[in-house]
Amino acid sequence: EKPKKEDSCHATKPNMLNVHLVPHTHDDVGWLKTVDQYFYGDRNDIQHAGVQYILDSVVDQLLKNPDRRFIYVETAFFYRWWKQQSSSMQQTVKKLVNEGRLEFVNGGWCMSDEATTHYSAVIDQMTMGLRFLNETFGPCGRPRVAWHIDPFGHAREHASMFAQMGYDGFFFGRLDYQDRARRRRDKEQELLWRASDSLTPPMADLFTGILPNGYNPPEGFCWDQSCDDPPIRDDPDLEDYNVDDVVRRFLAIANSQAIVYKTDHIIMTMGSDFQYENANLWYKNLDKLIHYVNALQANGSKVNVLYSTPSCYLQELHRANLTWALKMDDFFPYADDAHDFWTGYFTSRPALKRYERISNSNLQVTCNQLEVLSGPASRKGPFGEGDSQTMKKAMAVAQHHDAVSGTEKQHVANDYARRLAHGWQRCQVLVSNSLAALSGSSAERMYCDNLNISVCPLTESSKKFSVNVYNPLARPVTWPVRLPVNGTAYLVSDANGKSVDCQVSVNRGFAVNELVFQVQAPPLGFTTYSVSLLQDGPPPASTQHLFSLKTENLCVHLPQFLRVTFDPDTGLLSSLSNLETKQTIKLTQNFYWLVYNASDGNNLQSDQPSGAYIFRPNSSTPFLISKTAKTESIQEVRQWFAPWVSQVVRLYTDSKALELEWTVGPVPIDDDLGKEVITRLDTSIKTSQYFYTDSNGREMLQRKTDFRPTWNLRQSEPIAGNYYPINSRAFIKDDVDQLTVVTDRSQGGGSIHNGSLEIMLHRRLLYDDVRGVGEPLNETSNIFPKGLVVRGRLLLSLDRPPSAADAHRPLAQEVVLQPLLTFTDGDLHPNTQLEFSGLQAALPPAVHLLTLTQWDKDSVLLRLEHQFQSWESKLNSQPVTVNLQKLFSTLEVLGVSELNLSANQWKDEMTRFHWTPMTGTGHLNLFIRFYYISS
């Protein structure tokens, strides 16, 4: 039964200004300290903060006065605290929750970042936190309001997900200073966000409120132990009686705030970062404030103050029955002043961003899917006890808005990476058990986690080994495998014993050579390739090419799909052609760096430096690293732009994408200049200032240089003010050509010049940007003491605009959920099953298997999504029907029940507030379904 929220909300008064005071704490799941240091209150030399003491103190103070309220957000911390409580304390807390005195808002494992997170990982972390609350507290523990008070800009896809999770509304604290000024003037700080152009309203509509003070209390009214504001001194016999002054100041602030909001209800956030460690200070003064302000009503005052929560406040806005301004774009980029654009963190810590993305793939692929497909054998088998929970918690914490965002201190970034590595180690046991059960072979499996730097001890030393390729996608994939080897000739055979074309070339890593071959893996399953050494010795003088190469004009082409040419004078790319569609564009690519130089006289208008959050280049003209590239053609084109910038250009036989594998670092700082390194693609496409970026890896949004859809922009930063988050892809197009770039991690980018697309790859900075992290973004490591070296891939496709999504949608999913390779030394047992698919047939191209995970002993959580927007494909934007009973090969479906997106409500029981927009029309359907399956 839906909890009656109004039963626990304090009564408001008609014909008065009702001020809803919301006591809260904002507890970062890692930032200046690690998540565990924050929980315990360790390392207070860095920052005084201890979450366990906050929860202890708040519960104690709530019990002293039933009028008091408190909201809590971060389930990662609450879970830690809950486990340590006695059963009597747990019962006490349940009573507080049931009475609405302690309310959970948001409720995910963390408060995720919105620019650099992938939607699949956000859904997982929200599901994890909400499941704990559901199972612990029942319906009264289910949050009704999403609460993102600190993330640095807000993504449309997040709002869409929150709506599909059943939230009634969404509140946040940060938005662009120009946007806020316009909304204050027009009383549009509360609005209706239409968060999808494909889902039929109101499926993705979300009421959105912008909080008045970020998430802090009004000035002069902070009564935490960390604050300096005077307490309410209400004994007239003692010195400095100040009740009249406090009430007067409060009424002035309340009336001033009411002018810029639409109803006779306003909200005030009474708390901030890690506050309420001594909750008595806050509550004692709030009790007095409410008493003395409301006492004036006897003298005709029209202000009523009450303890409240976001859901109680939202309920009053809903009762007002007004129409609300409609918003259909997003809240990026975010600037808090003219030269202070928070667009640097889109790229900050690129190695951590990539590691998080790989870890997401490993979690979805291995821990979750294989645990379902192989059953209990995965959790206990020949390799020990497998565990996916450690990885799930590590990934959930990594979604925090100071984690994958790259805005934490270095030792905290190290902790996030350590947690992911530890989670993956625990997962590997589960994967080995699963593959042993499915293949019938308990031979030891190796995991080569350093293939990105071409390191794998087994392939470098073994004369015979097998490669198991597990494909997590619900359709077959073809994937290039590149292995470090020390031989010069190899025989590669597939699961049927048929030999496979392979090449050996000189390696850039520690091994002498690199073995390259294409694998084809079945949907939601694995195949096995055997590799045998034929010849040892020195590197090959000449080898069979991956693609034909005409050195006289540096032209690389595959007859089936693509051709790319290089300028013989510069060594740079010069054109890209799609041979199927008979289209060609001019395409040049180079690398540049931008710099903030504090001593530069041009910077007098603001001393804001670039840092972990902020992107603030000195000039709108980037420095070219090199006009030419030294090139070498060995089955691929290798380009050297500088000792610290290189690239490999590759075309694979069965691929419709051009691969650019870039390596950047150590970024030199011996000139005392930090640098932000970009690559820029310049084309003949006529873009007219428009370009397109994805929202959290899902729907595409149109962007326009020097423009915002909802206000008249005064552009003060021509580069940083035109950067947007690119989570998985971006594209530029005109009527004829579309160039799409698929990325392997979250990055920042934009289209500063017509026909161009630039992406920031790496940042190394020498100043802190004064947003709290307190250290420059200057990453080094034991392996790279002179600065981090980062490697990544961009995949380029050229298509006609009406059909471009048919290529980039599956391509992006392949990069996000890439095949997992495991290795076995020597000959496999003759009875080993070399190939397996968990599906009876591949899913249609439009349908993506988003989640397949064990829910409990007898049931599985399945999420299927339509992965095309309603407008982007004639072929694939239509609704699709899937027969669940004919889906899996190893599972018998006994029953199906449909849930909301976060799996904490039955779909047919999910009811949300209805809001009326001032304007807006419906759109075509895009069907998304989320199932809970008994097996």
Side-chain angles (χ1 to χ4, degrees):
E1 184 184 343
K2 184 174 175 179
K4 294 183 174 63
K5 184 56 66 181
E6 58 269 18
D7 292 350
S8 61
C9 296
H10 289 307
T12 57
K13 295 190 176 180
N15 305 316
M16 285 196 181
L17 175 62
N18 291 276
V19 183
H20 295 248
L21 302 182
V22 178
H24 80 107
T25 180
H26 176 62
D27 298 343
D28 288 304
V29 185
W31 180 37
L32 309 182
K33 307 197 293 189
T34 68
V35 56
D36 289 346
Q37 289 168 351
Y38 272 134
F39 177 73
Y40 281 117
D42 195 10
R43 292 302 309 271
N44 279 346
D45 56 314
I46 298 175
Q47 180 187 11
H48 187 97
V51 174
Q52 61 171 337
Y53 307 123
I54 294 171
L55 290 166
D56 288 343
S57 185
V58 164
V59 170
D60 176 62
Q61 288 300 315
L62 289 176
L63 294 171
K64 291 183 176 177
N65 178 351
D67 288 341
R68 293 172 175 174
R69 298 289 182 267
F70 194 77
I71 61 168
Y72 200 70
V73 179
E74 295 86 6
T75 304
F77 283 132
F78 190 86
Y79 169 82
R80 285 165 164 80
W81 181 82
W82 182 258
K83 286 196 307 178
Q84 298 180 358
Q85 304 311 303
S86 66
S87 59
S88 63
M89 175 55 82
Q90 289 183 348
Q91 287 306 118
T92 299
V93 173
K94 284 182 179 180
K95 186 171 184 288
L96 290 173
V97 172
N98 288 338
E99 293 174 358
R101 293 153 68 184
L102 173 62
E103 179 178 302
F104 295 101
V105 297
N106 214 62
W109 206 247
C110 70
M111 184 185 297
S112 57
D113 181 57
E114 296 195 45
T116 64
T117 46
H118 191 268
Y119 72 96
S120 59
V122 174
I123 292 169
D124 281 352
Q125 75 89 8
M126 291 299 297
T127 301
M128 183 179 227
L130 292 169
R131 180 179 186 178
F132 170 77
L133 295 178
N134 224 28
E135 293 178 349
T136 307
F137 299 104
C140 289
R142 179 171 57 80
R144 304 293 298 278
V145 167
W147 184 259
H148 268 214
I149 53 178
D150 196 27
F152 333 118
H154 304 281
R156 195 175 79 172
E157 191 59 38
H158 261 73
S160 177
M161 290 187 286
F162 288 147
Q164 294 174 73
M165 289 175 184
Y167 289 98
D168 282 323
F170 176 42
F171 292 93
F172 64 72
R174 298 184 188 271
L175 85 161
D176 187 273
Y177 74 105
Q178 292 182 45
D179 194 4
R180 182 184 285 276
R182 202 279 296 170
R183 290 183 179 278
R184 282 172 59 90
R185 186 182 71 240
D186 297 341
K187 290 193 176 186
E188 288 187 5
Q189 290 190 95
E190 288 162 335
L191 57 129
L192 186 61
W193 196 351
R194 182 148 292 166
S196 171
D197 59 14
S198 294
L199 294 171
T200 305
M203 195 185 291
D205 287 1
L206 189 66
F207 182 90
T208 300
I210 299 158
L211 297 167
N213 302 298
Y215 55 89
N216 299 307
E219 190 175 346
F221 291 86
C222 184
W223 289 306
D224 193 70
Q225 64 184 14
S226 63
C227 299
D228 301 322
D229 294 339
I232 296 178
R233 302 185 292 263
D234 57 345
D235 187 337
D237 294 335
L238 298 181
E239 190 181 353
D240 294 335
Y241 177 84
N242 69 348
V243 171
D244 296 340
D245 177 62
V246 169
V247 170
R248 178 187 55 77
R249 286 188 293 111
F250 183 83
L251 290 174
I253 286 170
N255 286 313
S256 173
Q257 183 178 324
I259 292 170
V260 296
Y261 284 86
K262 202 167 178 175
T263 73
D264 56 4
H265 294 267
I266 61 172
I267 188 171
M268 292 185 183
T269 44
M270 307 309 279
S272 193
D273 290 1
F274 297 98
Q275 293 195 0
Y276 286 77
E277 199 171 301
N278 182 352
N280 181 44
L281 277 68
W282 259 116
Y283 282 116
K284 196 163 195 172
N285 284 282
L286 288 172
D287 286 349
K288 291 179 179 182
L289 179 70
I290 292 169
H291 172 74
Y292 288 117
V293 173
N294 288 350
L296 289 184
Q297 291 172 16
N299 299 333
S301 170
K302 293 291 187 183
V303 176
N304 181 52
V305 190
L306 61 150
Y307 279 117
S308 190
T309 67
S311 63
C312 291
Y313 173 66
L314 187 70
Q315 180 177 277
E316 295 297 339
L317 298 183
H318 184 250
R319 283 176 177 162
N321 199 25
L322 303 177
T323 59
W324 305 90
L326 194 66
K327 181 176 176 69
M328 303 178 78
D329 59 314
D330 64 2
F331 290 94
F332 286 118
Y334 160 59
D336 57 19
D337 210 338
H339 302 287
D340 307 6
F341 278 86
W342 298 50
T343 53
Y345 80 98
F346 300 163
T347 297
S348 294
R349 301 194 186 279
L352 179 65
K353 282 179 164 63
R354 176 61 184 154
Y355 192 44
E356 181 274 335
R357 189 62 58 87
I358 292 169
S359 300
N360 183 42
S361 180
N362 287 340
L363 172 62
Q364 300 287 352
V365 172
T366 58
C367 297
N368 290 348
Q369 293 182 2
L370 284 171
E371 185 177 13
V372 171
L373 295 174
S374 62
S378 65
R379 296 183 285 281
K380 199 164 188 178
F383 299 99
E385 293 194 12
D387 164 34
S388 62
Q389 288 303 311
T390 306
M391 185 69 165
K392 287 177 180 176
K393 288 173 184 171
M395 268 301 295
V397 164
Q399 305 315 305
H400 168 60
H401 58 269
D402 287 305
V404 65
S405 59
T407 55
E408 63 281 77
K409 281 188 180 291
Q410 184 63 54
H411 79 104
V412 181
N414 296 343
D415 182 66
Y416 289 130
R418 181 192 60 77
R419 287 172 185 277
L420 293 171
H422 178 58
W424 177 223
Q425 285 177 338
R426 300 289 297 270
C427 254
Q428 286 178 359
V429 177
L430 189 150
V431 174
S432 295
N433 285 340
S434 298
L435 292 175
L438 293 170
S439 69
S441 167
S442 56
E444 185 182 3
R445 292 179 184 275
M446 311 289 180
Y447 296 82
C448 290
D449 292 329
N450 293 322
L451 281 174
N452 64 315
I453 55 170
S454 205
V455 172
C456 179
L458 174 68
T459 64
E460 291 169 51
S461 59
S462 176
K463 294 186 177 178
K464 183 160 191 182
F465 59 90
S466 65
V467 186
N468 181 288
V469 183
Y470 178 81
N471 167 29
L473 296 174
R475 56 182 173 78
V477 297
T478 301
W479 187 261
V481 170
R482 314 183 69 85
L483 303 176
V485 293
N486 286 309
T488 54
Y490 288 84
L491 174 66
V492 179
S493 304
D494 65 15
N496 297 316
K498 184 181 172 185
S499 66
V500 174
D501 285 345
C502 65
Q503 296 84 33
V504 176
S505 63
V506 178
N507 188 26
R508 295 178 299 152
F510 299 102
V512 175
N513 296 324
E514 186 174 54
L515 173 67
V516 185
F517 57 97
Q518 299 266 74
V519 297
Q520 292 180 315
L524 202 71
F526 64 77
T527 189
T528 311
Y529 288 78
S530 67
V531 181
S532 304
L533 175 70
L534 296 178
Q535 184 182 333
D536 245 333
S542 64
T543 57
Q544 179 186 346
H545 288 339
L546 268 176
F547 40 62
S548 59
L549 186 67
K550 296 180 182 173
T551 50
E552 65 271 12
N553 63 353
L554 279 172
C555 164
V556 181
H557 72 91
L558 283 173
Q560 301 100 310
F561 301 125
L562 294 178
R563 180 175 62 237
V564 58
T565 62
F566 293 77
D567 185 309
D569 298 322
T570 64
L572 304 178
L573 285 167
S574 57
S575 77
L576 178 63
S577 301
N578 183 325
L579 301 176
E580 277 190 306
T581 56
K582 297 182 172 55
Q583 60 187 126
T584 298
I585 59 168
K586 292 178 183 175
L587 171 67
T588 60
Q589 182 230 6
N590 212 322
F591 293 84
Y592 306 78
W593 53 272
L594 295 139
V595 64
Y596 170 83
N597 180 2
S599 61
D600 189 326
N602 294 328
N603 243 354
L604 295 177
Q605 55 190 324
S606 168
D607 58 359
Q608 173 63 60
S610 275
Y613 302 90
I614 306 289
F615 176 29
R616 175 80 204 293
N618 262 19
S619 165
S620 56
T621 305
F623 292 87
L624 183 63
I625 290 171
S626 175
K627 291 180 180 177
T628 60
K630 295 177 183 174
T631 59
E632 181 182 38
S633 303
I634 311 172
Q635 308 166 357
E636 56 196 22
V637 174
R638 300 178 180 182
Q639 299 172 305
W640 286 268
F641 296 84
W644 55 280
V645 179
S646 62
Q647 181 170 265
V648 182
V649 183
R650 299 188 182 106
L651 277 174
Y652 293 104
T653 306
D654 296 317
S655 176
K656 295 184 179 182
L658 176 69
E659 178 182 305
L660 307 179
E661 186 187 67
W662 51 269
T663 305
V664 176
V667 177
I669 53 170
D670 44 12
D671 53 4
D672 294 325
L673 296 176
K675 294 173 182 65
E676 300 171 273
V677 182
I678 65 169
T679 187
R680 194 172 80 203
L681 301 159
D682 294 302
T683 76
S684 53
I685 296 173
K686 298 172 179 64
T687 57
S688 304
Q689 293 186 277
Y690 289 100
F691 61 108
Y692 299 77
T693 64
D694 65 325
S695 183
N696 298 120
R698 202 153 182 278
E699 292 194 357
M700 302 299 298
L701 273 71
Q702 185 187 73
R703 311 295 192 183
K704 187 180 181 185
T705 306
D706 294 330
F707 177 78
R708 305 289 185 268
T710 55
W711 82 90
N712 293 323
L713 175 69
R714 298 188 306 278
Q715 184 61 276
S716 47
E717 285 290 329
I719 306 295
N722 284 308
Y723 261 51
Y724 291 84
I726 300 171
N727 202 274
S728 68
R729 83 209 79 173
F731 63 78
I732 53 175
K733 67 171 186 168
D734 54 24
D735 293 339
V736 180
D737 300 306
Q738 177 171 324
L739 178 71
T740 307
V741 180
V742 171
T743 65
D744 66 351
R745 72 202 74 193
S746 286
Q747 294 166 316
S751 177
I752 310 301
H753 309 286
N754 278 327
S756 82
L757 187 63
E758 67 182 60
I759 297 174
M760 189 184 291
L761 305 176
H762 198 356
R763 317 178 74 217
R764 188 179 188 188
L765 304 166
L766 305 182
Y767 298 95
D768 174 57
D769 54 10
V770 204
R771 290 304 183 279
V773 77
E775 63 183 35
L777 185 67
N778 184 4
E779 294 182 279
T780 59
S781 71
N782 293 334
I783 300 173
F784 298 118
K786 293 185 177 179
L788 216 57
V789 179
V790 182
R791 176 173 291 168
R793 294 190 308 150
L794 302 175
L795 299 177
L796 276 57
S797 64
L798 175 65
D799 296 280
R800 300 296 183 199
S803 60
D806 298 332
H808 74 66
R809 284 283 171 193
L811 185 63
Q813 294 292 11
E814 279 178 33
V815 175
V816 171
L817 296 180
Q818 62 186 41
L820 174 78
L821 307 181
T822 57
F823 301 85
T824 305
D825 197 15
D827 287 306
L828 288 172
H829 190 278
N831 293 330
T832 300
Q833 184 175 336
L834 300 180
E835 203 155 65
F836 163 83
S837 175
L839 298 182
Q840 293 185 36
L843 283 173
V847 181
H848 173 54
L849 192 154
L850 178 60
T851 306
L852 179 64
T853 187
Q854 199 72 36
W855 188 255
D856 56 30
K857 184 168 162 287
D858 298 313
S859 55
V860 163
L861 180 68
L862 168 71
R863 290 189 182 97
L864 298 175
E865 69 163 313
H866 196 306
Q867 64 173 341
F868 285 79
Q869 278 167 272
S870 60
W871 49 266
E872 68 183 1
S873 168
K874 288 179 182 176
L875 189 65
N876 288 311
S877 287
Q878 307 304 316
V880 180
T881 301
V882 175
N883 186 337
L884 294 178
Q885 290 199 299
K886 294 184 177 178
L887 188 57
F888 297 104
S889 63
T890 63
L891 302 176
E892 183 186 358
V893 178
L894 302 178
V896 175
S897 299
E898 195 171 359
L899 290 149
N900 67 346
L901 178 53
S902 46
N904 66 329
Q905 270 185 289
W906 300 114
K907 187 73 182 291
D908 57 7
E909 294 177 4
M910 188 178 94
T911 56
R912 300 170 60 225
F913 284 157
H914 177 75
W915 305 89
T916 306
M918 288 178 178
T919 57
T921 56
H923 294 267
L924 288 175
N925 246 334
L926 172 100
F927 292 108
I928 304 183
R929 291 291 181 256
F930 312 97
Y931 295 102
Y932 174 93
I933 292 186
S934 302
S935 62

